[in-house]
């Protein structure tokens, strides 16, 4: 990068400045050029860390959905509303900050956004300190002097009813997530536009890819810790992380996320409103640079005036032009369906793995973070590399994206083959004496309460809702080591009626554990092929709209995807999953809590069926998109010639598309000339 600085003696002359050596500067103590490069480097580093921070906190919140559901005893549909509040907050100001762009002090607005994200994370933690310790649903049995319980029949609840407002404290998490969405909105549009104005494209930050991965790893760690870690004796807890009542230390990670977001805001406060732009050939003339004495001085460009009337006047014609483009319209519908399936998977995949394959939520989150996310990132980079390597034009990219998605869809259908045995729960999925009833002759004298859930596993491999429903007459041991004896409803192999025992916890499904590695391998392959076609799919939009509408097209695509995909998907996914619940938990003062047992077969059909249905629609739209592009971009047509003339500028768009895929929610404006209607 070269600077031309006016000399003292003759203002028509200039002195060439090499920023690598600064040897040709005739002015003593001139630090201006150094400060330009330093400020730009600081901004790039700060923006990279802010990308990391938002990806880190966003993926952590996604990973904690099940923990929040259990801690507040709420349904999956309410968890979906909490998750969707982030999109609401983001959309509230996304359009505003995208429009204002260079008209505001972008570094400081980004700093404010990071602080708001930090405040949202800290606000979400508040219920942990207002609710008191977590008392999971369980029963107690009377104990005699020999430390053996007299009977597990006629149990009493271990919790005292205290009328509080705890049931509504999940609103803190909702509002906190809303603030996170508001705070994240300015980071991508203002950060990328600042880079685009004052730096080369290749200087853009790309470290945000590590944020989601580390967020899931932190989520896995926190989910394995007891919610009140440090305040209770963990050895006295009678449940383990595989239990549906287990709640991890969801709040601990939010404290870390809030701190990281706060740190991310600090550098932006010290950055200038604007900087001189780096030239394409590392040459730059600073017309506003003057020398006073021994110091350099720059006249900051005047802040541009807002022209709302002109923007409003051009809005409707631009909108009509975009939606008059059939390729763009099909692309928008394709984006909406892909958003729906992707958001549903990210939100409920840990729950699905837990219920279907008998793995803990902590393990499921860990596997997503260390296997699925890195494979997805690899697929996106490889897709971009192939486009550059073989210089694919729009028709070839469309074929490539269509084929990779169809392959991924076929792999997706194989998910249905990865089934395993359902959890056998007496009275729910397994009968008492041939009947699906809670009470039977073997436990009729026990006066069991049907609203309780403290499962035990009998010698016969069947789970009972409580030891009372198993008809157990005595027990030995304490905590997780408690064993119930003389269980009249349990018929163990080779044992007579009334001589069987049961242990605390649900029965383990060994066959499900064996099937899980095959499911994980299949899911990894599916994620790779989806990501492989992700970059060329996004490039189709840039190649099919006019250059002056590219930024607007990105905004419409973002708005449509989030309003019709990111917002409703977790809600209706959660509502349909709730329909498969067989046994709801009960709060200490009555009322329904979170789900304890799902019909695993129905859960699988609903969850995988939704994903398969949405992706079937995507396959159809990919075929329609391919036909439209084949007709529009004929080999000998004018538009195909324009594509070949624009291959150099396509490289810049490809890099931007890669960043968009890696950094959730990222959208950028494009300036390169490409093919359009």
């Amino acid at each position: 990068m070269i600077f031309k600085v006016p000399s003292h003696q003759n203002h028509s002359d200039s002195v060439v400045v090499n920023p690598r050596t600064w040897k040709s500067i005739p002015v003593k103590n001139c630090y201006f050029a150094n400060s330009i490069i330093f400020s730009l480097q600081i901004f790039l580093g700060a923006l990279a860390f802010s990308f990391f921070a938002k990806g880190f906190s966003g993926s952590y919140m996604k990973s904690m959905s099940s923990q929040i559901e259990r801690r507040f005893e709420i349904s999956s549909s309410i968890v979906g509303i909490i998750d969707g509040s982030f999109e609401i907050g983001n959309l509230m100001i996304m359009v505003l900050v995208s429009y204002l762009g260079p008209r505001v002090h972008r570094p400081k607005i980004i700093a404010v956004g990071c602080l708001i994200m930090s405040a949202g994370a800290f606000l979400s933690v508040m219920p942990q300190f207002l609710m008191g310790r977590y008392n999971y649903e369980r029963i107690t049995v009377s104990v005699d002097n020999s430390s053996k319980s007299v009977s597990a029949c006629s149990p009493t609840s271990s919790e005292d009813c205290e009328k509080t407002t705890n049931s509504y404290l999940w609103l803190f998490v909702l509002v906190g997530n809303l603030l996170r969405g508001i705070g994240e909105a300015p980071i991508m549009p203002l950060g990328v536009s600042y880079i685009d104005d004052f730096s080369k494209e290749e200087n853009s930050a790309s470290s945000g890819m590590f944020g989601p991965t580390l967020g899931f790893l932190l989520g896995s760690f926190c989910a394995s810790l007891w919610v009140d870690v440090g305040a209770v004796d963990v050895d006295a807890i009678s449940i383990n992380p595989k239990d549906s009542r287990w709640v991890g230390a969801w709040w601990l990670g939010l404290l870390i996320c809030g701190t990281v977001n706060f740190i991310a805001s600090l550098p932006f406060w010290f950055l200038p409103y604007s900087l001189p732009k780096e030239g394409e050939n590392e040459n730059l003339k600073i017309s506003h640079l003057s020398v006073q004495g021994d110091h350099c001085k720059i006249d900051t460009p005047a802040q541009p005036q807002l022209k709302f009337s002109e923007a409003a006047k051009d809005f409707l014609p631009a909108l009509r032009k975009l939606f008059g483009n059939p390729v763009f319209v099909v692309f928008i519908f394709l984006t909406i369906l892909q958003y729906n399936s992707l958001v549903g998977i990210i939100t409920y995949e840990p729950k699905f793995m837990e219920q279907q394959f008998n793995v803990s939520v902590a393990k499921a989150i860990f596997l997503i973070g260390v296997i699925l996310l890195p494979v997805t990132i690899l697929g996106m980079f490889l897709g971009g590399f192939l486009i550059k390597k073989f210089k694919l034009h729009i028709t070839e990219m469309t074929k490539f994206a269509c084929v990779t998605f169809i392959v991924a869809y076929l792999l997706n259908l194989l998910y249905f083959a990865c089934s395993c045995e359902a959890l056998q729960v007496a009275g729910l999925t397994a009968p008492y004496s041939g009947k699906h009833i809670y009470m039977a002759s073997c436990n009729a004298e026990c006066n069991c309460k049907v609203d309780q859930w403290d499962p035990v596993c009998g010698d016969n491999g069947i789970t009972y809702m409580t030891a009372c429903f198993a008809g157990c007459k005595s027990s030995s041991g304490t905590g997780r080591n408690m064993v119930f004896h003389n269980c009249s409803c349990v018929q163990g192999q080779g044992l007579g009626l009334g001589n069987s025992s049961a242990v605390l916890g649900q029965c383990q499904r060994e066959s499900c554990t064996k099937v899980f590695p095959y499911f994980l391998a299949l899911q990894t392959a599916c994620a790779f092929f989806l990501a492989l076609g992700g970059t060329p799919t996004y490039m189709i939009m840039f190649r099919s709209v006019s250059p002056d509408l590219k930024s607007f097209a990105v905004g419409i695509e973002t708005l449509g995807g989030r309003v019709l995909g990111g917002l409703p998907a977790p809600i209706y996914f959660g509502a349909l999953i709730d329909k498969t619940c067989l046994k709801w938990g009960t709060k200490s003062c009555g009322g329904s809590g979170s789900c304890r047992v799902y019909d695993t077969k129905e859960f699988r059909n609903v969850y995988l069926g939704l994903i398969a249905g949405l992706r079937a629609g995507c396959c159809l739209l990919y075929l329609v998109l391919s036909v439209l592009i084949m007709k529009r971009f004929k080999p000998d047509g004018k538009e195909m010639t324009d594509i070949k003339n624009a291959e150099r500028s396509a490289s810049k768009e490809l890099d931007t598309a890669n960043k968009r895929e890696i950094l959730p929610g990222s959208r950028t404006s494009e300036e390169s000339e490409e093919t359009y209607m």
Side-chain angles (χ1 to χ4, degrees), residues 542-608:
F542 289 116
R543 298 288 184 91
S544 61
V545 299
S546 58
D548 59 312
L549 293 178
K550 287 178 181 178
S551 181
F552 190 35
V554 171
I556 295 297
E557 187 254 358
T558 303
L559 187 67
R562 290 193 165 183
V563 171
L564 300 178
L567 181 58
I571 298 175
Y572 71 76
F573 263 82
L576 291 174
I577 289 173
D578 285 339
K579 296 292 184 181
T580 68
C581 183
L582 293 175
K583 173 64 178 176
W584 291 93
T586 304
K587 299 178 183 179
S588 59
C589 294
S592 178
S594 60
C595 186
R596 303 303 188 208
V597 178
Y598 291 92
D599 184 331
T600 53
K601 183 178 179 180
E602 287 299 316
F603 190 158
R604 181 176 66 252
N605 292 338
V606 167
Y607 179 74
L608 296 181

Side-chain angles (χ1 to χ4, degrees), residues 335-408:
T335 298
I336 291 171
L337 291 184
Q338 287 183 323
Y339 258 83
N340 277 267
S341 62
L342 180 63
V343 172
I345 290 172
I346 293 175
T347 306
Y348 295 107
E349 189 66 19
K351 178 188 284 288
F352 176 76
M353 289 183 180
E354 176 195 32
Q355 295 296 324
Q356 295 295 316
F357 301 106
N358 198 36
V359 299
S360 66
V361 174
K363 182 178 179 180
I365 295 170
F366 176 80
L367 293 173
I368 291 174
V370 300
I371 297 179
L372 296 182
L373 278 181
V375 165
T376 301
I377 294 170
L378 175 63
M380 289 187 292
F381 272 116
L382 183 58
F385 171 78
L386 292 176
I387 293 176
K388 283 186 174 182
K389 177 70 174 179
F390 298 103
K391 300 180 180 179
L392 303 180
H393 52 70
I394 188 170
T395 56
E396 294 170 331
M397 283 193 297
T398 305
K399 293 177 183 178
F400 180 75
C402 185
V403 169
T404 53
F405 191 88
I406 291 176
V407 171

Side-chain angles (χ1 to χ4, degrees), residues 128 133 225-235 237 248-249 251-252:
Q128 174 64 21
R133 296 179 182 177
L225 300 176
W226 182 244
V227 60
D228 296 314
V229 59
V232 298
D233 182 9
V234 179
D235 294 333
I237 300 171
W251 55 275
L252 182 61

Side-chain angles (χ1 to χ4, degrees), residues 405-460:
F405 191 88
I406 291 176
V407 171
Y409 180 69
L410 294 176
L411 291 173
N412 186 93
L413 294 179
L414 294 178
Y415 287 172
F416 289 95
C418 297
S419 60
C420 63
E421 60 179 316
L423 178 66
Q424 297 295 302
V425 182
L428 294 178
T429 59
Y432 278 111
S433 302
K435 297 181 180 180
H436 285 274
I437 54 177
Y438 293 122
M439 305 300 296
S441 58
C442 59
N443 58 24
E445 299 178 355
C446 289
N447 299 320
C448 305
K449 296 182 180 179
V450 297
D451 60 349
Q452 291 180 334
W453 178 259
D454 192 10
V456 295
C457 177
D459 288 340
N460 55 359

